[in-house]
């Protein structure tokens, strides 16, 4: 008597989701295979039936189209116009909710410092993610600065989480929102 059809894929997805959640809040080095598997409700031994290494798991986490998945959230709220989606993404990304709940946020804000010490395969995936996100922010406007906007967004969230003064933290996010919107609206 074996497992039902699709069990292995569902288990793999549980591992990916657990890793994504932990690495968003604690970073890649902060949560090892044992923690990821415990979060997924599984034992460490089962990990190797799905992945060769922790880096392979990271590659899988990054492989999924996180930009597309993020947009699905806004589309479900009825925000389908691209301009409105960008506005909503910027407001969410540079908002207190993203700052206060990294486990629900963007991996870029937690992996930025660790990325230089990762293997080449995950770094290639991160580069692809950065490029896709920056291009999406920029859109068709060749004069718009998608990479600068993304850099400001990631940096602002990182700094807002770091400081111990709520007023300063909110000011960082607020000023960054204004500047990112300026960067992306210039023609």
């Amino acid at each position: 008597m074996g497992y039902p059809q699709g069990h292995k894929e569902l288990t793999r997805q549980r591992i990916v989701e657990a890793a994504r959640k932990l690495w968003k809040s604690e970073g890649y080095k902060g949560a090892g295979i044992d923690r990821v598997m415990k979060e997924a409700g599984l034992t460490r031994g089962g990990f190797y039936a799905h992945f060769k290494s922790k880096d392979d798991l990271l590659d899988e986490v990054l492989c999924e189209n996180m930009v597309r998945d993020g947009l699905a959230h806004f589309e479900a709220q009825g925000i389908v116009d691209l301009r409105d989606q960008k506005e909503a993404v910027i407001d969410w990304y540079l908002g207190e909710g993203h700052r206060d709940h990294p486990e629900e946020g963007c991996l870029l804000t937690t992996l930025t410092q660790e990325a230089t010490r990762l293997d080449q395969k995950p770094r290639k995936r991160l580069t692809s993610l950065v490029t896709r996100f920056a291009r999406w922010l920029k859109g068709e406007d060749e004069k718009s600065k998608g990479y600068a906007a993304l850099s400001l967004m990631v940096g602002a969230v990182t700094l807002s989480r770091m400081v111990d003064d709520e007023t300063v933290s909110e000011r960082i996010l607020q000023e960054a929102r204004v500047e990112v919107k300026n960067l992306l609206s210039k023609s």
Side-chain angles (χ1 to χ4, degrees):
M1 187 158 136
Y3 290 107
Q5 186 174 1
H7 174 78
K8 185 169 184 170
E9 184 54 40
L10 288 173
T11 301
R12 183 181 179 93
Q13 193 58 38
R14 279 177 42 203
I15 296 167
V16 169
E17 290 303 319
R20 180 179 289 131
K21 178 182 174 185
L22 286 171
W23 292 342
K24 284 178 179 182
S25 61
E26 299 176 22
Y28 182 69
K29 300 291 183 192
I33 293 171
D34 289 336
R35 290 275 319 283
V36 169
M37 295 303 282
K38 183 176 180 182
E39 179 72 23
L42 302 164
T43 62
R44 179 186 177 95
F47 177 84
Y48 295 100
H50 300 278
F51 301 98
K52 293 178 187 170
S53 68
K54 186 178 173 188
D55 280 348
D56 281 348
L57 173 57
L58 177 60
D59 187 57
E60 178 85 10
V61 167
L62 296 172
C63 182
E64 294 186 22
N65 190 337
M66 295 188 333
V67 176
R68 184 201 66 229
D69 293 347
L71 290 179
H73 168 76
F74 295 105
E75 289 170 358
Q77 294 178 1
I79 304 170
V80 292
D81 179 71
L82 186 59
R83 182 182 221 111
D84 292 341
Q85 282 182 350
K86 285 183 185 181
E87 184 96 7
V89 167
I90 293 165
D91 289 341
W92 169 81
Y93 203 101
L94 294 168
E96 289 80 14
H98 186 211
R99 176 198 63 198
D100 297 343
H101 298 284
E103 74 281 1
E104 297 172 9
C106 178
L107 265 167
L108 294 178
T109 59
T110 52
L111 292 181
T112 302
Q113 292 299 313
E114 293 180 285
T116 59
R117 294 180 291 280
L118 295 174
D119 288 340
Q120 187 174 358
K121 190 174 179 182
R123 287 188 71 189
K124 281 185 181 284
R125 290 284 190 198
L126 282 167
T127 300
S128 175
L129 177 61
V130 165
T131 300
R132 287 192 322 264
F133 198 175
R135 284 182 182 159
W136 179 82
L137 285 168
K138 181 178 83 136
E140 299 298 318
D141 183 358
E142 287 303 316
K143 294 184 180 179
S144 183
K145 297 181 165 66
Y147 286 110
L150 180 58
S151 298
L152 182 54
M153 291 166 65
V154 171
V157 171
T158 303
L159 286 175
S160 73
R161 288 176 179 163
M162 180 189 74
V163 299
D164 69 349
D165 183 319
E166 183 77 17
T167 303
V168 172
S169 180
E170 289 174 6
R171 186 100 183 259
I172 290 167
L173 295 173
Q174 178 186 30
E175 290 181 15
R177 273 193 304 274
V178 169
E179 292 306 315
V180 166
K181 290 176 183 180
N182 275 341
L183 278 172
L184 296 175
S185 69
K186 290 187 178 180
S187 305

